Amino acid sequence: MDKVLLIICDGLSDRPITELGGKTPLEAAKTPNLDRLVKRGLTGLMHVVDIGIRPGSDVAHLSLFGYDPNLYYSGRGPFEAVGIGMEIKPNDVALRGNFATVDSAFRIIDRRAGRIEHTFPLTRALNDMLIEDTKVYVSVGTGHRAAVILRGKNLNGRISDVDPHKEGVKVRSAYALVKTASAKKTAKIINQFVRRSYQILSAHPLNKKREKEGKLPGNIILLRGAGILPKLPTFLEKYSLKAACIAGGGLYKGIGRLLGMDTIEVPQATGKPDTNIKAKIEAALKTFKTHDFVFVHIKGADVLAEDGDFLGKKKFIEKIDAALSPLVKREDILIVITADHTTSSILKIHTADPVPLLMAGKNLHTDQVTLFGERSVASGKLGHIVGKHLMPIILDFLGRAPLMGA
Amino acid sequence: MDKVLLIICDGLSDRPITELGGKTPLEAAKTPNLDRLVKRGLTGLMHVVDIGIRPGSDVAHLSLFGYDPNLYYSGRGPFEAVGIGMEIKPNDVALRGNFATVDSAFRIIDRRAGRIEHTFPLTRALNDMLIEDTKVYVSVGTGHRAAVILRGKNLNGRISDVDPHKEGVKVRSAYALVKTASAKKTAKIINQFVRRSYQILSAHPLNKKREKEGKLPGNIILLRGAGILPKLPTFLEKYSLKAACIAGGGLYKGIGRLLGMDTIEVPQATGKPDTNIKAKIEAALKTFKTHDFVFVHIKGADVLAEDGDFLGKKKFIEKIDAALSPLVKREDILIVITADHTTSSILKIHTADPVPLLMAGKNLHTDQVTLFGERSVASGKLGHIVGKHLMPIILDFLGRAPLMGA
């Protein structure tokens, strides 16, 4: 056993829901394959960052890959930018953004411009701008999303969001979160960029066409998540494992790339509930010909829970389970299945509840747990761990952990 | 209840083994005495250093005695040297070594010189050498083992191993692991010593005699595990417990001495599977007339697992169990039985799997666990602890823990 398949089901776990008879979507779903893996594996609960800490998906992934987010996280922008294929350099400030609709007083009508898509002409119109001494690069994300990179002297990532995260209010001015000249300069450039984006976009032919068709124009770019990318040791450097990443969403590809993982493109992987999970698992199994460690990210459950759709989440979990059938008897691979965080379908937010963790391999301890659920795994042999323990345990199960002492 | 008997069964725990019906050697062994102690005690799993950390025996013992290895561990040499009775002074660099066989090109033929024994004449020939301003002391260990102390000005323990840990390759040159003049000087002295050991040993009458008899000569001393001994508070200073150590292996006696424990010699304790465990337990019980805390170390299970002999390990565990019969009803002593680390009989290495822990005394909580095994104790009342928690729990069970606050 010298290969690892780590499947992160984003927002898999949940809280009990009255309409599901007091069960969570994971507990209510029929998951025969997960349960078979549990029977020949060992289980526990993982606090992905720490007990009581409610993580975003970016911070959660860093933590469970063993990269302390207190050292390595400085805003989501850089991860999104890398995820959509932008080249980022040391000291670049990166932000993520939405194409949105505002009125002439900068009041937000729609944060997603009617879920505008195919925004390449808009990003091209904004790309490669010079503000003071700083170059601004803009690149298209999925749907209404984009990423922005600022490249210049003395920039700082500690800047507030322009995006107020709600509609009916005015666009905010970015301001420095630390009292340094570099932060003040960066905030000023961001504010200038946002104003110029409105001037350019509101006159853009694509938006004129959308307005004629009765659609909302993407007439501004709302920025958030500013950060400077830290220097991250690669997965290979840290764990001596040749790793690959299979994901639909840009953030997860971005994290994979930043950790030096090879990105395996699976065209049917959409990062949405319609994704083809079977195709991702098949691609993962093929990838073991060349790689030691494959990270598969499955987004759907989180999206559905954030929409409050617990029935859809239950069905999506059953879809995940069906895709796992090729794994049930694979003893040559260490199979690790868990979540990056809990997403409550009632609260429609991430919560800090620990996530269930399942590890199945050859000649490992099993435990008495027979079902994969938030409550059932609480008596598993792994007990309660925190995210930073996951990779050391994986290395140890492979017989590849470093020895401390002699 | 004011006495503590701590029995460390080195490498006691293991992973499931197909040939044992998916049980570990501990689970497969018939252990009626351990099970009786479990029934009147409480249990849990202990991560001896931390979750996912794979410890050497030296680091593991420091950690479970409450001495943070990050502060107190600097290579195994000093522990071995003290263990075989050498006097070590502050700033001495100590190393452990093997008498080995090399050819004239310093290629290693046998790392243990045909498991040479009775090497006192060889160590005497090397002892008390002067290299530059540094005195070199050599003392005989068990079997092919020896320890070396360097005493001089400006020495440093951060030196690489001369021993390449495999055969068919050349002896390595020691080099400085830190860029200081003291480390460079120390490496140079070690390399000179190793060369001179070859000159002296290859001409030694004992080796000439071995060669005539067709035996491999111990014609070089391969050094490893350099370190300078840190200042350790004694067990008495730290815990107000008068402690004694009963062990066969030099390392464990060394750790006991370094912590200020009195070493109780039990002639039948060999540090090998043929050791007389009954004699050690009897000696321990006698020692309570004068001491509060007795540490008994039993090495055999680890040795057998490192040889892949899981059936031998199972039998050895049954031998341990048989020796415990005098303890089953002793409520006047807090009996603590655990391991320093897991040793996998399949991988033949230490692993980071937590070790089972059993504590039995008077008027303590019991739990529902009835068998002593890696999986059975996972639901015990002690839960998952790390090594640094063991001594505080022991002190508290005695009613002797310090009060924090008022």
Side-chain angles (χ1 to χ4, degrees), chain A residues 112-161:
Chain A
R112 296 178 186 89
R115 291 207 175 259
I116 192 170
E117 294 200 341
H118 311 299
T119 63
F120 179 69
L122 301 183
T123 56
R124 192 174 46 188
L126 299 178
N127 191 33
D128 219 10
M129 202 184 282
L130 187 72
I131 301 178
E132 298 185 10
D133 66 346
T134 297
K135 282 284 246 180
V136 184
Y137 301 96
V138 184
S139 194
V140 62
T142 57
H144 55 279
R145 297 180 195 88
V148 171
I149 285 177
L150 311 183
R151 184 168 299 153
K153 282 181 187 155
N154 297 321
L155 299 178
N156 192 306
R158 301 278 295 127
I159 309 296
S160 72
D161 291 350

CSV table of all heavy atoms in Angstrom, one decimal, chain A residues 112-161:
chain,number,residue,atom,x,y,z
A,112,ARG,N,-24.3,39.8,-8.9
A,112,ARG,CA,-23.8,38.9,-9.9
A,112,ARG,C,-24.2,39.2,-11.3
A,112,ARG,O,-24.1,38.4,-12.2
A,112,ARG,CB,-24.2,37.5,-9.5
A,112,ARG,CG,-23.6,36.9,-8.2
A,112,ARG,CD,-24.1,35.6,-7.9
A,112,ARG,NE,-23.7,35.1,-6.6
A,112,ARG,CZ,-24.4,35.4,-5.4
A,112,ARG,NH1,-25.6,36.0,-5.5
A,112,ARG,NH2,-23.9,35.0,-4.3
A,113,ALA,N,-24.7,40.5,-11.5
A,113,ALA,CA,-25.2,41.0,-12.8
A,113,ALA,C,-26.0,39.9,-13.5
A,113,ALA,O,-25.8,39.5,-14.7
A,113,ALA,CB,-23.9,41.3,-13.7
A,114,GLY,N,-27.1,39.5,-12.8
A,114,GLY,CA,-28.0,38.5,-13.4
A,114,GLY,C,-27.3,37.2,-13.8
A,114,GLY,O,-27.6,36.5,-14.8
A,115,ARG,N,-26.3,36.8,-12.9
A,115,ARG,CA,-25.5,35.6,-13.1
A,115,ARG,C,-24.9,35.6,-14.6
A,115,ARG,O,-25.0,34.6,-15.3
A,115,ARG,CB,-26.2,34.3,-12.8
A,115,ARG,CG,-26.5,34.1,-11.3
A,115,ARG,CD,-26.6,32.7,-10.9
A,115,ARG,NE,-26.8,32.6,-9.4
A,115,ARG,CZ,-25.8,32.2,-8.6
A,115,ARG,NH1,-24.6,32.0,-9.1
A,115,ARG,NH2,-26.0,32.1,-7.3
A,116,ILE,N,-24.3,36.7,-14.9
A,116,ILE,CA,-23.7,36.9,-16.2
A,116,ILE,C,-22.7,35.8,-16.5
A,116,ILE,O,-22.1,35.3,-15.5
A,116,ILE,CB,-23.1,38.3,-16.3
A,116,ILE,CG1,-22.6,38.7,-17.7
A,116,ILE,CG2,-21.9,38.4,-15.3
A,116,ILE,CD1,-22.2,40.1,-17.9
A,117,GLU,N,-22.6,35.4,-17.7
A,117,GLU,CA,-21.5,34.4,-18.1
A,117,GLU,C,-20.8,34.9,-19.3
A,117,GLU,O,-21.1,35.9,-19.9
A,117,GLU,CB,-22.2,33.0,-18.3
A,117,GLU,CG,-22.8,32.4,-17.1
A,117,GLU,CD,-23.0,30.9,-17.2
A,117,GLU,OE1,-23.0,30.4,-18.3
A,117,GLU,OE2,-23.1,30.3,-16.1
A,118,HIS,N,-19.7,34.1,-19.7
A,118,HIS,CA,-18.9,34.5,-20.9
A,118,HIS,C,-18.5,35.9,-20.9
A,118,HIS,O,-18.8,36.7,-21.8
A,118,HIS,CB,-19.8,34.2,-22.2
A,118,HIS,CG,-20.4,32.8,-22.1
A,118,HIS,ND1,-19.7,31.6,-22.0
A,118,HIS,CD2,-21.7,32.4,-22.1
A,118,HIS,CE1,-20.5,30.6,-22.0
A,118,HIS,NE2,-21.7,31.0,-22.0
A,119,THR,N,-17.8,36.3,-19.8
A,119,THR,CA,-17.4,37.7,-19.6
A,119,THR,C,-16.0,38.0,-20.2
A,119,THR,O,-15.4,39.0,-19.9
A,119,THR,CB,-17.4,38.0,-18.1
A,119,THR,OG1,-16.4,37.2,-17.5
A,119,THR,CG2,-18.7,37.8,-17.5
A,120,PHE,N,-15.5,37.1,-21.0
A,120,PHE,CA,-14.1,37.3,-21.5
A,120,PHE,C,-14.0,38.7,-22.2
A,120,PHE,O,-13.0,39.4,-21.9
A,120,PHE,CB,-13.7,36.2,-22.5
A,120,PHE,CG,-12.3,36.4,-23.1
A,120,PHE,CD1,-11.2,36.3,-22.2
A,120,PHE,CD2,-12.2,36.8,-24.4
A,120,PHE,CE1,-9.9,36.6,-22.8
A,120,PHE,CE2,-10.9,37.0,-24.9
A,120,PHE,CZ,-9.8,36.9,-24.1
A,121,PRO,N,-14.9,39.2,-23.0
A,121,PRO,CA,-14.8,40.5,-23.6
A,121,PRO,C,-14.7,41.6,-22.5
A,121,PRO,O,-13.9,42.6,-22.7
A,121,PRO,CB,-16.0,40.7,-24.4
A,121,PRO,CG,-16.5,39.3,-24.7
A,121,PRO,CD,-16.2,38.5,-23.5
A,122,LEU,N,-15.4,41.4,-21.4
A,122,LEU,CA,-15.3,42.4,-20.3
A,122,LEU,C,-13.9,42.4,-19.6
A,122,LEU,O,-13.3,43.5,-19.4
A,122,LEU,CB,-16.4,42.2,-19.3
A,122,LEU,CG,-17.9,42.2,-19.8
A,122,LEU,CD1,-18.8,42.0,-18.7
A,122,LEU,CD2,-18.2,43.5,-20.6
A,123,THR,N,-13.4,41.2,-19.3
A,123,THR,CA,-12.1,41.2,-18.6
A,123,THR,C,-11.1,41.7,-19.6
A,123,THR,O,-10.2,42.4,-19.1
A,123,THR,CB,-11.8,39.7,-18.2
A,123,THR,OG1,-11.8,38.9,-19.3
A,123,THR,CG2,-12.7,39.2,-17.1
A,124,ARG,N,-11.2,41.4,-20.9
A,124,ARG,CA,-10.2,41.9,-21.8
A,124,ARG,C,-10.1,43.4,-21.8
A,124,ARG,O,-9.1,44.1,-22.0
A,124,ARG,CB,-10.4,41.4,-23.2
A,124,ARG,CG,-9.3,41.6,-24.2
A,124,ARG,CD,-9.5,40.9,-25.5
A,124,ARG,NE,-10.9,41.2,-26.0
A,124,ARG,CZ,-11.4,40.6,-27.1
A,124,ARG,NH1,-10.7,39.7,-27.8
A,124,ARG,NH2,-12.6,40.9,-27.4
A,125,ALA,N,-11.3,44.0,-21.7
A,125,ALA,CA,-11.4,45.5,-21.7
A,125,ALA,C,-10.8,46.1,-20.5
A,125,ALA,O,-10.4,47.3,-20.5
A,125,ALA,CB,-12.9,45.9,-21.8
A,126,LEU,N,-10.7,45.3,-19.4
A,126,LEU,CA,-10.1,45.9,-18.2
A,126,LEU,C,-8.6,45.5,-18.0
A,126,LEU,O,-7.9,46.1,-17.2
A,126,LEU,CB,-10.9,45.3,-16.9
A,126,LEU,CG,-12.3,45.7,-16.9
A,126,LEU,CD1,-13.0,45.0,-15.6
A,126,LEU,CD2,-12.5,47.2,-16.8
A,127,ASN,N,-8.2,44.5,-18.7
A,127,ASN,CA,-6.9,43.9,-18.5
A,127,ASN,C,-5.8,44.8,-18.9
A,127,ASN,O,-5.9,45.6,-19.8
A,127,ASN,CB,-6.8,42.6,-19.3
A,127,ASN,CG,-5.5,41.8,-18.9
A,127,ASN,OD1,-5.1,41.8,-17.7
A,127,ASN,ND2,-4.9,41.1,-19.8
A,128,ASP,N,-4.6,44.7,-18.2
A,128,ASP,CA,-3.4,45.4,-18.6
A,128,ASP,C,-3.5,46.9,-18.4
A,128,ASP,O,-2.9,47.6,-19.2
A,128,ASP,CB,-3.1,45.0,-20.0
A,128,ASP,CG,-1.6,44.8,-20.3
A,128,ASP,OD1,-0.9,44.7,-19.3
A,128,ASP,OD2,-1.2,44.7,-21.4
A,129,MET,N,-4.2,47.3,-17.4
A,129,MET,CA,-4.3,48.7,-17.1
A,129,MET,C,-3.1,49.2,-16.3
A,129,MET,O,-2.5,48.4,-15.6
A,129,MET,CB,-5.6,48.9,-16.3
A,129,MET,CG,-6.2,50.2,-16.3
A,129,MET,SD,-7.7,50.2,-15.1
A,129,MET,CE,-8.9,49.4,-16.1
A,130,LEU,N,-2.7,50.5,-16.4
A,130,LEU,CA,-1.7,51.0,-15.6
A,130,LEU,C,-2.3,52.1,-14.7
A,130,LEU,O,-2.8,53.0,-15.1
A,130,LEU,CB,-0.5,51.6,-16.4
A,130,LEU,CG,0.7,52.0,-15.6
A,130,LEU,CD1,1.5,50.9,-15.1
A,130,LEU,CD2,1.6,53.0,-16.5
A,131,ILE,N,-2.1,51.9,-13.4
A,131,ILE,CA,-2.6,52.9,-12.4
A,131,ILE,C,-1.4,53.3,-11.6
A,131,ILE,O,-0.8,52.4,-10.9
A,131,ILE,CB,-3.7,52.3,-11.5
A,131,ILE,CG1,-4.9,51.8,-12.4
A,131,ILE,CG2,-4.2,53.3,-10.5
A,131,ILE,CD1,-6.1,51.2,-11.6
A,132,GLU,N,-1.1,54.6,-11.6
A,132,GLU,CA,0.2,55.0,-11.0
A,132,GLU,C,1.3,54.1,-11.6
A,132,GLU,O,1.4,54.0,-12.8
A,132,GLU,CB,0.1,55.0,-9.5
A,132,GLU,CG,-0.9,56.0,-9.0
A,132,GLU,CD,-0.9,56.2,-7.5
A,132,GLU,OE1,0.0,55.7,-6.8
A,132,GLU,OE2,-1.9,56.8,-6.9
A,133,ASP,N,2.1,53.5,-10.7
A,133,ASP,CA,3.2,52.6,-11.3
A,133,ASP,C,2.8,51.2,-11.3
A,133,ASP,O,3.6,50.3,-11.5
A,133,ASP,CB,4.4,52.8,-10.4
A,133,ASP,CG,4.2,52.3,-9.0
A,133,ASP,OD1,3.0,52.0,-8.6
A,133,ASP,OD2,5.2,52.1,-8.2
A,134,THR,N,1.5,50.9,-11.1
A,134,THR,CA,1.0,49.5,-10.9
A,134,THR,C,0.3,49.0,-12.0
A,134,THR,O,-0.7,49.6,-12.5
A,134,THR,CB,0.2,49.5,-9.6
A,134,THR,OG1,1.1,49.9,-8.5
A,134,THR,CG2,-0.3,48.1,-9.3
A,135,LYS,N,0.7,47.8,-12.5
A,135,LYS,CA,0.0,47.1,-13.6
A,135,LYS,C,-1.2,46.4,-13.0
A,135,LYS,O,-1.0,45.7,-11.9
A,135,LYS,CB,0.9,46.2,-14.3
A,135,LYS,CG,1.9,46.9,-15.3
A,135,LYS,CD,1.2,47.3,-16.6
A,135,LYS,CE,1.7,46.5,-17.7
A,135,LYS,NZ,1.0,46.9,-19.0
A,136,VAL,N,-2.3,46.3,-13.7
A,136,VAL,CA,-3.5,45.6,-13.2
A,136,VAL,C,-3.9,44.5,-14.3
A,136,VAL,O,-4.1,44.9,-15.4
A,136,VAL,CB,-4.7,46.5,-12.9
A,136,VAL,CG1,-5.8,45.7,-12.3
A,136,VAL,CG2,-4.3,47.6,-12.0
A,137,TYR,N,-3.9,43.3,-13.9
A,137,TYR,CA,-4.2,42.2,-14.7
A,137,TYR,C,-5.6,41.6,-14.3
A,137,TYR,O,-5.8,41.4,-13.1
A,137,TYR,CB,-3.2,41.1,-14.7
A,137,TYR,CG,-1.8,41.6,-15.1
A,137,TYR,CD1,-0.9,42.0,-14.2
A,137,TYR,CD2,-1.5,41.7,-16.5
A,137,TYR,CE1,0.4,42.5,-14.6
A,137,TYR,CE2,-0.2,42.2,-16.9
A,137,TYR,CZ,0.7,42.6,-15.9
A,137,TYR,OH,1.9,43.1,-16.3
A,138,VAL,N,-6.4,41.4,-15.3
A,138,VAL,CA,-7.8,40.9,-15.0
A,138,VAL,C,-8.0,39.6,-15.8
A,138,VAL,O,-7.7,39.6,-17.0
A,138,VAL,CB,-8.9,41.9,-15.3
A,138,VAL,CG1,-10.2,41.4,-14.9
A,138,VAL,CG2,-8.6,43.2,-14.6
A,139,SER,N,-8.5,38.6,-15.2
A,139,SER,CA,-8.7,37.3,-15.9
A,139,SER,C,-10.1,36.8,-15.5
A,139,SER,O,-10.6,37.0,-14.4
A,139,SER,CB,-7.6,36.3,-15.6
A,139,SER,OG,-7.6,35.3,-16.5
A,140,VAL,N,-10.7,36.1,-16.5
A,140,VAL,CA,-12.1,35.6,-16.3
A,140,VAL,C,-12.1,34.3,-15.5
A,140,VAL,O,-11.3,33.4,-15.6
A,140,VAL,CB,-12.7,35.4,-17.8
A,140,VAL,CG1,-11.9,34.3,-18.5
A,140,VAL,CG2,-14.1,35.0,-17.7
A,141,GLY,N,-13.1,34.3,-14.6
A,141,GLY,CA,-13.3,33.1,-13.8
A,141,GLY,C,-14.6,32.3,-14.3
A,141,GLY,O,-15.1,32.6,-15.4
A,142,THR,N,-15.1,31.4,-13.5
A,142,THR,CA,-16.4,30.8,-13.9
A,142,THR,C,-17.5,31.7,-13.6
A,142,THR,O,-17.5,32.5,-12.7
A,142,THR,CB,-16.6,29.4,-13.1
A,142,THR,OG1,-16.6,29.8,-11.7
A,142,THR,CG2,-15.5,28.4,-13.4
A,143,GLY,N,-18.6,31.7,-14.5
A,143,GLY,CA,-19.8,32.5,-14.4
A,143,GLY,C,-19.4,34.0,-14.3
A,143,GLY,O,-18.8,34.5,-15.1
A,144,HIS,N,-19.9,34.6,-13.2
A,144,HIS,CA,-19.8,36.0,-13.0
A,144,HIS,C,-18.5,36.4,-12.3
A,144,HIS,O,-18.3,37.5,-12.0
A,144,HIS,CB,-20.9,36.5,-12.1
A,144,HIS,CG,-21.0,35.7,-10.9
A,144,HIS,ND1,-21.6,34.5,-10.8
A,144,HIS,CD2,-20.5,36.0,-9.6
A,144,HIS,CE1,-21.5,34.0,-9.5
A,144,HIS,NE2,-20.8,34.9,-8.8
A,145,ARG,N,-17.6,35.4,-12.2
A,145,ARG,CA,-16.4,35.6,-11.4
A,145,ARG,C,-15.1,36.0,-12.2
A,145,ARG,O,-15.0,35.7,-13.4
A,145,ARG,CB,-16.0,34.3,-10.6
A,145,ARG,CG,-17.1,33.9,-9.6
A,145,ARG,CD,-16.7,32.7,-8.8
A,145,ARG,NE,-17.9,32.2,-8.1
A,145,ARG,CZ,-18.8,31.3,-8.7
A,145,ARG,NH1,-18.6,30.9,-9.9
A,145,ARG,NH2,-19.8,30.9,-8.0
A,146,ALA,N,-14.3,36.7,-11.5
A,146,ALA,CA,-13.0,37.2,-12.2
A,146,ALA,C,-12.0,37.2,-11.1
A,146,ALA,O,-12.3,37.2,-9.9
A,146,ALA,CB,-13.2,38.5,-12.8
A,147,ALA,N,-10.7,37.3,-11.5
A,147,ALA,CA,-9.6,37.6,-10.5
A,147,ALA,C,-8.8,38.7,-11.0
A,147,ALA,O,-8.7,38.9,-12.3
A,147,ALA,CB,-8.8,36.3,-10.3
A,148,VAL,N,-8.2,39.5,-10.1
A,148,VAL,CA,-7.4,40.7,-10.4
A,148,VAL,C,-6.1,40.6,-9.7
A,148,VAL,O,-6.0,40.2,-8.6
A,148,VAL,CB,-8.2,41.9,-10.0
A,148,VAL,CG1,-7.3,43.2,-10.1
A,148,VAL,CG2,-9.5,42.1,-10.8
A,149,ILE,N,-5.0,40.9,-10.5
A,149,ILE,CA,-3.7,40.9,-9.9
A,149,ILE,C,-3.1,42.3,-10.0
A,149,ILE,O,-3.2,42.9,-11.1
A,149,ILE,CB,-2.7,39.9,-10.6
A,149,ILE,CG1,-3.1,38.5,-10.1
A,149,ILE,CG2,-1.3,40.2,-10.3
A,149,ILE,CD1,-2.3,37.4,-10.7
A,150,LEU,N,-2.6,42.9,-8.9
A,150,LEU,CA,-1.9,44.2,-9.0
A,150,LEU,C,-0.4,43.9,-8.9
A,150,LEU,O,0.1,43.2,-8.0
A,150,LEU,CB,-2.3,45.0,-7.8
A,150,LEU,CG,-3.8,45.2,-7.5
A,150,LEU,CD1,-3.9,46.2,-6.3
A,150,LEU,CD2,-4.5,45.7,-8.7
A,151,ARG,N,0.4,44.4,-9.8
A,151,ARG,CA,1.9,44.2,-9.8
A,151,ARG,C,2.6,45.6,-9.8
A,151,ARG,O,2.5,46.3,-10.8
A,151,ARG,CB,2.3,43.3,-11.0
A,151,ARG,CG,3.8,43.0,-11.0
A,151,ARG,CD,4.1,41.9,-12.0
A,151,ARG,NE,3.3,40.7,-11.7
A,151,ARG,CZ,2.9,39.8,-12.7
A,151,ARG,NH1,3.2,40.0,-13.9
A,151,ARG,NH2,2.2,38.7,-12.3
A,152,GLY,N,3.2,45.9,-8.7
A,152,GLY,CA,3.9,47.2,-8.6
A,152,GLY,C,4.8,47.2,-7.4
A,152,GLY,O,5.0,46.2,-6.7
A,153,LYS,N,5.3,48.4,-7.1
A,153,LYS,CA,6.2,48.5,-6.0
A,153,LYS,C,5.4,48.8,-4.7
A,153,LYS,O,4.5,49.5,-4.7
A,153,LYS,CB,7.3,49.6,-6.2
A,153,LYS,CG,8.4,49.2,-7.1
A,153,LYS,CD,9.4,50.3,-7.3
A,153,LYS,CE,10.4,49.9,-8.4
A,153,LYS,NZ,11.0,51.0,-9.1
A,154,ASN,N,5.9,48.2,-3.6
A,154,ASN,CA,5.3,48.5,-2.3
A,154,ASN,C,3.8,48.4,-2.2
A,154,ASN,O,3.1,49.3,-1.9
A,154,ASN,CB,5.7,50.0,-1.9
A,154,ASN,CG,7.2,50.1,-1.7
A,154,ASN,OD1,7.8,49.2,-1.2
A,154,ASN,ND2,7.7,51.2,-2.2
A,155,LEU,N,3.3,47.2,-2.5
A,155,LEU,CA,1.9,46.9,-2.4
A,155,LEU,C,1.7,46.0,-1.1
A,155,LEU,O,2.6,45.4,-0.6
A,155,LEU,CB,1.4,46.1,-3.6
A,155,LEU,CG,1.5,46.9,-4.9
A,155,LEU,CD1,1.0,46.0,-6.1
A,155,LEU,CD2,0.7,48.2,-4.9
A,156,ASN,N,0.5,46.0,-0.7
A,156,ASN,CA,0.2,45.3,0.6
A,156,ASN,C,-1.2,44.6,0.5
A,156,ASN,O,-2.1,45.2,-0.1
A,156,ASN,CB,0.1,46.3,1.7
A,156,ASN,CG,0.1,45.7,3.1
A,156,ASN,OD1,-0.7,44.8,3.4
A,156,ASN,ND2,1.0,46.1,3.9
A,157,GLY,N,-1.3,43.4,1.0
A,157,GLY,CA,-2.5,42.6,0.8
A,157,GLY,C,-3.5,42.8,1.9
A,157,GLY,O,-4.7,42.3,1.8
A,158,ARG,N,-3.2,43.6,2.9
A,158,ARG,CA,-4.2,43.8,4.0
A,158,ARG,C,-5.1,45.0,3.7
A,158,ARG,O,-5.0,46.1,4.3
A,158,ARG,CB,-3.4,44.1,5.3
A,158,ARG,CG,-2.4,43.0,5.7
A,158,ARG,CD,-3.1,41.8,6.4
A,158,ARG,NE,-3.6,42.2,7.7
A,158,ARG,CZ,-4.9,42.1,8.1
A,158,ARG,NH1,-5.8,41.5,7.3
A,158,ARG,NH2,-5.3,42.5,9.3
A,159,ILE,N,-6.1,44.7,2.8
A,159,ILE,CA,-7.0,45.7,2.3
A,159,ILE,C,-8.4,45.2,2.5
A,159,ILE,O,-8.7,44.1,2.2
A,159,ILE,CB,-6.7,46.0,0.8
A,159,ILE,CG1,-5.2,46.3,0.5
A,159,ILE,CG2,-7.6,47.1,0.3
A,159,ILE,CD1,-4.7,47.5,1.2
A,160,SER,N,-9.3,46.1,2.9
A,160,SER,CA,-10.7,45.7,3.1
A,160,SER,C,-11.4,45.4,1.7
A,160,SER,O,-10.9,45.8,0.7
A,160,SER,CB,-11.5,46.9,3.8
A,160,SER,OG,-11.7,47.9,2.9
A,161,ASP,N,-12.6,44.8,1.8
A,161,ASP,CA,-13.3,44.4,0.6
A,161,ASP,C,-14.1,45.6,0.0
A,161,ASP,O,-14.6,46.4,0.8
A,161,ASP,CB,-14.3,43.3,0.8
A,161,ASP,CG,-13.7,42.0,1.1
A,161,ASP,OD1,-12.4,41.9,0.9
A,161,ASP,OD2,-14.4,41.1,1.6
